[in-house]
Amino acid sequence: MDKEPSKINAEFLKNGFRKAAEVLVAHRDELNALNVFPVPDGDTGHNMSACVLEACKTLDGVEFDSIKTVSKAIKDGTLMGARGNSGVILSQIFSGFFEVVIKNDRIDIPIFVKAINRANVVATSAVMKPVKGTILTLIEDLAKYSEKHQDEFMDYKHLLEMLTKRAFRVVEKTREMMPKLKQAGVVDAGAKGLAYIVEGFYKYAMGETDINLEKKASGPEMMPETDILPEEITFQYCTEFMVRLFKGVEEKDISSLKQILDKMGDSMVIVHNEDILKGHIHTDHPGLVFEHALNYGDIMKVKADNMKEQHHEVLLKRNGEEVKEEQPAFENDDIDEEVFGGENFNDAVEEVACETKKYAFVAVSPGEGISKILKEMKVDRIVFGGQTMNPSTADIANAIDAVDAETVFILPNNSNIILAAETAAKMRDSEEKHIEVIPTTSVQQGIACLISYVENTSLEENIDMMEAAKSEVVSISVTRAIRDSEIEEHKIIEGEYLFFADKKLISHVAEMEDCLLEGFDGLDMDDYEIMTIFFGKDIDEETVNDLSEKLREKYEDMEISVYDGGQAHYPFYISLE
Amino acid sequence: MKIVNPLGEITININVLKHLVYQSLLECYGLVKMDDVNLISKYLGGEEKGIHLKDEEDGIYIDVYPVVSYGMKIDQVSLNVQQYVDYKFEDMLGIKPIEINVHVLGIKLD
């Protein structure tokens, strides 16, 4: 490469592309969160990454590096890996670009510019009516820009630098170009992805030559995603009631009840015969529904099922998990204790009692056990999601809508979810309802924040206290490597247990127990007093008990407590305080 | 298409639905034009040729006959068409079509 620094050779293409893939993959979740067009399904990041990663695989198979072989590998790889709209468009961009490149032995600036222009032509020719403010807008702009300023570029580094700058500027403009993006207050995900790719090439040109595609892949991110989204459920509680009508209640009274209830949810059905009225509605406020019904008669029976929980069970069922038995149906004649005294009913009552609270919490939880713990700690809404199932911005926004408080705190509990949480907060923040995101990167931090929260204190003080609590706790996560990889000079072998303390790898050993003990040895255990262990769903209690016994023996002065967290992929989440 | 509610009923002409599908197809990446199996509409059909809608009792069935640009992953492009039409339909009508069948009738070279 150094022989003729003003030109690009095969090695540059190959490694530059891999660097671009790295940058893109690193921003995968951000791109997913931005995805609102054409179909807001939150997969743009995944699709684009899949596309470039497939090409990286074909690149690995290239034995002799020449412009021809490398170009062909990228062209074929991106085509084969194309998934979704953004993936297909990306493959066309590369296809056009390398169509020009492949014909040349060395690439100088005029050829590079020609290649970008060809990429533009190929990509935009495949749509009948291009929509403004997409990845196509960006490639078109880059093509025109590079052609216009062709003579001003000193060398390819300068060219890539200018293109990167220009790309991010155009990405910002997409917000204004498409009404849909403007509404959601985001930039176009596909365009931003392409900008990251250009940035990747630029970074490589500037000498950032170490490429680590495995860095992200060492966690379990590559697992399949669930395909039903919780956001499909608009109202959370399936609410049913039966009322013995007061004497003198007339048809028009019932239609007025219908009108009131209709505003509170959907799927409403109200039927009545002479003196009994039966109603069904999906709502977020079952308690209020019951209250209204009380105005017309004596309640005989009520029921409120949390449909999100049911949905969650469906997900578990898919994973082959055992699910607890279904709640008794409404038709059951004897009035079941569970129906009346169940958690849902209590929730409903609580919501009536304190209509507008001062503070409310929305937290993201990766497992059932943790959800339960969070609920006990006064979290008002749980959004289910974790390492492999990042909740969408809409999920979080829905959760915010469902709580009634002056200030809503959001605990994302995962670094990949912070962005979605912040976007949701921006969308929903208003005078009446202030939204505050506490950027917690782990469940342990989230719990520490909840402990430090004081109800009757000012907002600022609470934020300060939570931020302080967040930084005091050490979050440890233990997981298994699903492939060979390298993290910070440690060579990881597939199947090894990895012990991370605040995202830093402390130990990696084949045996779980050794891994934990060795991991704790790597920390200054004298500094901490409390250890809290949340074990995952893939681990049985006996192992946990054995382990906690050993830990208690080893760290006598420490207060150790163990909870069932129920999280997937991570056998242990541990916090040290 | 008919939507019945307590206040009365709403009917949407099939041509409106056709136009809706047409507008969505225009925005689908990878399609270059529409074609048709029906010879009359193939040569005489207006801008909405290649879009067939059946308004059955249980819902709407859609068949589209596009020509795809060469060099694409055709299955992905078709899947994108299905997803986009489905999404647009629900977005604008509140109803999902029962089926969206994509029949790729040709590939267009540059």
Side-chain angles (χ1 to χ4, degrees):
Chain A
M1 188 166 67
D2 296 320
K3 277 178 272 172
E4 236 176 319
S6 68
K7 288 185 183 177
I8 295 170
N9 61 9
E11 188 200 338
F12 178 86
L13 279 183
K14 184 177 174 178
N15 291 324
F17 182 82
R18 297 178 64 192
K19 185 79 194 171
E22 180 197 318
V23 175
L24 182 67
V25 171
H27 292 93
R28 176 164 49 195
D29 294 314
E30 178 196 337
L31 297 178
N32 282 341
L34 288 175
N35 180 203
V36 294
F37 179 84
V39 182
D41 45 5
D43 62 357
T44 299
H46 272 283
N47 290 340
M48 294 185 92
S49 317
C51 182
V52 292
L53 286 176
E54 182 70 32
C56 287
K57 261 190 230 161
T58 28
L59 269 182
D60 289 341
V62 174
E63 278 169 10
F64 173 71
D65 287 355
S66 73
I67 295 230
K68 232 180 182 158
T69 51
V70 169
S71 303
K72 194 171 175 321
I74 297 179
K75 228 173 121 176
D76 293 351
T78 48
L79 181 63
M80 293 313 292
R83 276 208 294 159
N85 238 326
S86 44
V88 173
I89 301 179
L90 194 59
S91 77
Q92 291 306 298
I93 290 173
F94 281 119
S95 164
F97 186 86
F98 287 103
E99 193 179 295
V100 174
V101 166
I102 205 165
K103 294 181 196 141
N104 298 282
D105 297 335
R106 282 285 173 102
I107 304 142
D108 50 20
I109 285 171
I111 290 173
F112 196 96
V113 171
K114 212 173 132 196
I116 295 181
N117 276 280
R118 181 66 197 154
N120 171 34
V121 171
V122 170
T124 36
S125 68
V127 63
M128 291 186 272
K129 182 184 152 199
V131 179
K132 265 204 174 311
T134 63
I135 183 169
L136 291 174
T137 318
L138 175 58
I139 186 73
E140 193 185 342
D141 183 274
L142 289 183
K144 279 188 187 148
Y145 173 81
S146 58
E147 196 166 25
K148 194 174 159 201
H149 298 273
Q150 206 180 133
D151 305 328
E152 296 162 26
F153 301 122
M154 271 125 33
D155 56 12
Y156 69 91
K157 277 182 198 164
H158 184 220
L159 168 68
L160 284 169
E161 183 188 344
M162 297 309 285
L163 283 182
T164 310
K165 279 188 186 154
R166 177 83 187 180
F168 281 102
R169 224 175 298 148
V170 175
V171 167
E172 272 311 310
K173 279 190 202 151
T174 59
R175 198 194 301 269
E176 298 298 320
M177 286 181 191
M178 205 200 299
K180 256 186 140 172
L181 298 175
K182 199 172 181 181
Q183 237 170 36
V186 295
V187 296
D188 185 64
K192 192 146 197 193
L194 183 60
Y196 281 131
I197 289 175
V198 180
E199 189 192 11
F201 275 104
Y202 170 58
K203 275 188 168 169
Y204 184 79
M206 290 314 285
E208 282 184 44
T209 49
D210 53 322
I211 295 147
N212 195 351
L213 286 171
E214 308 285 315
K215 192 157 52 179
K216 281 285 270 188
S218 71
E221 273 108 326
M222 306 296 278
M223 304 259 175
E225 273 214 297
T226 131
D227 53 13
I228 17 177
L229 299 169
E231 70 194 295
E232 283 162 17
I233 299 171
T234 342
F235 294 101
Q236 196 175 357
Y237 299 100
C238 170
T239 310
E240 293 181 355
F241 57 90
M242 209 194 261
V243 175
R244 192 183 302 280
L245 293 171
F246 294 138
K247 283 205 175 110
V249 172
E250 290 174 22
E251 196 68 35
K252 67 172 198 300
D253 297 326
I254 290 171
S255 55
S256 72
L257 173 67
K258 277 185 191 169
Q259 275 175 15
I260 297 170
L261 293 188
D262 199 32
K263 283 180 200 134
M264 297 172 61
D266 61 7
S267 311
M268 184 190 71
V269 183
I270 305 261
V271 287
H272 72 109
N273 58 15
E274 275 159 27
D275 61 343
I276 305 241
L277 178 139
K278 204 169 163 181
H280 165 277
I281 186 171
H282 292 168
T283 178
D284 283 330
H285 300 278
L288 289 178
V289 170
F290 301 147
E291 279 299 316
H292 282 297
L294 268 178
N295 295 333
Y296 299 87
D298 296 322
I299 284 185
M300 298 163 68
K301 210 191 257 185
V302 294
K303 186 184 76 127
D305 275 342
N306 187 335
M307 293 191 286
K308 289 221 170 126
E309 288 290 318
Q310 289 172 342
H311 173 92
H312 182 190
E313 281 168 16
V314 174
L315 288 181
L316 289 178
K317 231 180 225 168
R318 289 194 164 194
N319 298 339
E321 291 284 314
E322 283 197 16
V323 185
K324 42 174 198 256
E325 289 203 356
E326 276 188 30
Q327 296 244 324
F330 184 55
E331 278 72 28
N332 272 2
D333 272 336
D334 47 351
I335 296 172
D336 204 308
E337 188 61 29
E338 225 178 314
V339 177
F340 266 104
E343 204 180 330
N344 295 329
F345 190 59
N346 284 342
D347 276 359
V349 173
E350 222 173 66
E351 276 187 31
V352 180
C354 38
E355 279 201 313
T356 307
K357 292 201 277 185
K358 198 162 178 210
Y359 301 112
F361 280 92
V362 169
V364 178
S365 154
E368 256 187 291
I370 291 177
S371 301
K372 225 184 244 168
I373 295 166
L374 290 173
K375 259 188 202 153
E376 275 167 25
M377 301 187 74
K378 295 276 174 271
V379 170
D380 302 73
R381 271 297 134 125
I382 307 275
V383 179
F384 186 74
Q387 197 64 5
T388 56
M389 296 191 288
N390 290 338
S392 68
T393 308
D395 289 339
I396 298 172
N398 283 343
I400 297 173
D401 289 343
V403 296
D404 216 358
E406 283 166 32
T407 302
V408 181
F409 292 108
I410 307 178
L411 303 171
N413 293 348
N414 187 322
S415 52
N416 293 339
I417 304 175
I418 293 177
L419 196 91
E422 276 167 356
T423 317
K426 230 182 263 166
M427 276 159 62
R428 288 292 187 268
D429 200 14
S430 66
E431 294 247 327
E432 300 91 58
K433 205 172 187 180
H434 177 65
I435 319 286
E436 191 69 46
V437 179
I438 311 286
T440 51
T441 55
S442 66
V443 174
Q444 295 93 313
Q445 287 190 353
I447 289 174
C449 287
L450 285 167
I451 293 172
S452 71
Y453 155 76
V454 181
E455 203 172 338
N456 300 319
T457 324
S458 72
L459 175 64
E460 289 74 28
E461 267 180 69
N462 258 325
I463 294 176
D464 284 348
M465 281 192 284
M466 281 194 250
E467 290 283 352
K470 181 173 87 94
S471 54
E472 266 166 33
V473 58
V474 178
S475 310
I476 294 165
S477 52
V478 179
T479 186
R480 259 185 114 159
I482 55 162
R483 67 183 63 204
D484 293 353
S485 67
E486 221 171 286
I487 302 175
E488 297 155 10
E489 293 160 18
H490 296 280
K491 272 222 182 325
I492 311 291
I493 300 158
E494 187 185 330
E496 269 187 344
Y497 284 90
L498 309 174
F499 183 103
F500 292 93
D502 284 337
K503 301 271 141 94
K504 201 172 172 308
L505 182 67
I506 306 288
S507 77
H508 55 104
V509 190
E511 288 298 319
M512 186 163 65
E513 197 183 307
D514 297 343
C515 174
L516 273 174
L517 295 173
E518 200 176 292
F520 285 126
D521 286 342
L523 295 171
D524 254 340
M525 291 303 278
D526 296 339
D527 294 352
Y528 309 108
E529 289 162 0
I530 306 168
M531 184 194 295
T532 318
I533 302 176
F534 305 94
F535 61 92
K537 65 171 184 185
D538 305 322
I539 191 165
D540 59 293
E541 258 188 278
E542 227 171 278
T543 327
V544 177
N545 287 339
D546 279 0
L547 252 169
S548 57
E549 263 326 297
K550 275 185 193 144
L551 286 174
R552 283 200 177 102
E553 266 170 41
K554 192 163 174 196
Y555 303 108
E556 276 178 3
D557 298 336
M558 221 171 208
E559 197 180 302
I560 301 179
S561 40
V562 182
Y563 298 99
D564 179 1
Q567 71 273 17
H569 312 310
Y570 286 85
F572 291 108
Y573 281 142
I574 301 167
S575 67
L576 291 177
E577 285 157 75
Chain B
M1 198 180 78
K2 210 185 253 185
I3 301 165
V4 184
N5 64 23
L7 292 174
E9 59 182 54
I10 302 165
T11 49
I12 300 170
N13 191 293
I14 194 111
N15 286 327
V16 176
L17 302 181
K18 237 183 187 178
H19 193 73
L20 180 67
V21 176
Y22 172 71
Q23 288 297 339
S24 329
L25 291 176
L26 283 184
E27 289 169 9
C28 278
Y29 190 81
L31 304 190
V32 271
K33 61 173 186 174
M34 298 304 290
D35 205 342
D36 210 316
V37 273
N38 183 327
L39 281 183
I40 298 175
S41 38
K42 185 178 171 101
Y43 294 108
L44 299 175
E47 55 177 18
E48 279 154 40
K49 74 172 177 183
I51 302 168
H52 295 230
L53 266 84
K54 268 183 282 175
D55 191 355
E56 304 277 330
E57 257 179 38
D58 56 341
I60 307 281
Y61 290 74
I62 304 171
D63 285 274
V64 294
Y65 298 86
V67 173
V68 176
S69 140
Y70 175 76
M72 302 267 166
K73 215 158 178 295
I74 295 174
D75 59 334
Q76 269 306 327
V77 171
S78 313
L79 180 68
N80 292 342
V81 169
Q82 288 177 316
Q83 286 174 346
Y84 192 51
V85 172
D86 185 67
Y87 169 74
K88 272 279 174 183
F89 236 72
E90 203 190 358
D91 196 32
M92 301 195 64
L93 297 169
I95 289 173
K96 274 184 183 282
I98 304 287
E99 272 179 16
I100 305 159
N101 303 308
V102 180
H103 313 265
V104 179
L105 278 194
I107 306 177
K108 185 172 177 282
L109 292 155
D110 287 329

